[in-house]
Amino acid sequence: MPARPTRSLTEGPIGRNLLLFSLPILGGNIAQSLNGSVNAIWVGRFLGESSLAAIANANNIMFFLLGSVFGIGMAATILIGQAIGAGNIAQARKVMGSSASFFIGLSIVIASCGVWLARHLLAAMATPAELLPLAEAYLRVIFLAMPLMYAFTFLSAALRGAGDSKTPFRFLLVSVVLDIAFNPLLIFGIGPFPKLGIAGSAWATLLAQGIALLGLLFYMRHKRHVLWLGRKDMRLFVPDLAVLRTLITKGVPMGLQMVLVSMAMIAMMTLVNRFGTDTVAAYGAALQIWNYVQMPAMAVAAAASTMAAQNVGAGHWDRVDATARTGVLFNFLMTGALILPLILLDRWTLSLFLDSASAAHEIARHINHIAIWSFLFFGVMFVLSGVVRSTGAVIPPIIMLVIALWGIRVPFANLLQPTLGADAVWWSFPVSSLCSMLMAMAYYRWGGWRKARMGAADTRAIAVPSEVPATPPSPVADPADPDCKPDDALQRA
């Protein structure tokens, strides 16, 4: 018999469970960004600001392509979470097999096309001519690594849907350590390794992801995890039509949300490119700092979505609302605790990526002071969108995101650029983020997301009542439920 989930998120104190479940996700996010920052230090300090600017351009395309299949993995996670919450292990395994076949197959197609389109995609972003060869050399290798990155991300999300956030974190650490170790070896050609320059940083990512993915697969097989599918389960890899339909109808819109974010990032990068290499390098360095600021909200949102999905499956709607309130509270506490020191110490932190005497360094500080506050507001939208998506309400968050990014942020940056110059780009972040927070809170309070369903594959145990109290999330609400019993972990079979 396969092992059962290691943690139930349908019982126990909400605050404690959400925090313990989100901490490994946060740790993984920090490790990933630390990995990117260390690699950026190697590139920026030893290969030059042009190489750092080239990677900033290439990474925007990479995020776009990751986002294009992200929604399918998120839909699978919600379906698995609902099935686990309802106690339907067979359905969870069916979702796992169908999702893996569809998700990984699609990622291979996207990556194959990307290898040939790398230069054209960079040119479409108005990448400066002097950066194009460097960015192309890096991006082509990243495309080769895409299927490995997709597979690892999908498995991690599926495990979290089953209530296990620790295992993905452990193997993510393996990937990060290997990537950091391989970077200088392949960039500079140390020892038996070839000297590959900027492409060496991408090859380090490919090797690290491949090794970590194999390790995760062997671990799941050895532990006989509930989601491990062996030779006897090959039939489960044949896509189930109900699951496939749900993955497409719900996953594609959620993936579109990530694509829209990535496209907005590309649009902003295109605007920034007009101001020259110094500004591009400054923006790239600021992005490295911002990666850390948005991590708490992203981790809490991912944990809240999984916890809400399990409780939707179990029919515990009071816990779904409590999860939303607690997630918003944690976002304000954790994100706010990062912003202030990063403002006070940004002269030092930015000097990790840029020469402190350079013009780009001062530009980066100016950008940081204006835009970093936006992540406090954007985090609220992350958390609330994660909760409402757990029921299958995937379209309203997209509409709100379209309005925030393409109705406010990009037009603001474009239209006010003649008046404010580059500052129009930086101010567009807090303005659009504040609007997104207000829209998300309004929809959570008055929207009909509780009545949404994931489709034919929805496995919730109890239908939502026709009238459910709609308590708006408050950043000062008590995150714990004192009447809950202590968490009882499910035992492995």
Side-chain angles (χ1 to χ4, degrees), residues 30 61 100 142 171-172 174 237 251 263 417 419 428 437 445 479-480:
I30 293 174
I61 295 176
I142 287 295
F171 284 93
L172 181 59
V174 172
F237 287 104
M263 289 178 65
Q417 197 172 135
T419 302
S428 70
M437 179 184 75
R445 175 63 178 84

Side-chain angles (χ1 to χ4, degrees), residues 154-169:
F154 168 72
L155 286 178
S156 298
L159 290 174
R160 286 194 293 268
D164 182 4
S165 62
K166 294 180 180 179
T167 298
F169 171 61

Side-chain angles (χ1 to χ4, degrees), residues 2 52 73 86 110 174 195 280-281 304 314 325 345 389 442 460 466 485:
L52 181 61
I110 293 174
V174 172
K195 183 178 181 180
V280 174
R325 294 194 301 270
L345 302 174
R389 278 196 302 263
R460 67 186 66 181
S466 58
K485 298 178 181 180

Side-chain angles (χ1 to χ4, degrees), residues 12-16 318-319 322 325-326 478-486:
I14 296 289
R16 177 179 177 272
D318 57 331
R319 292 179 63 85
R325 294 194 301 270
T326 305
D478 183 3
D481 181 0
D483 296 326
C484 289
K485 298 178 181 180

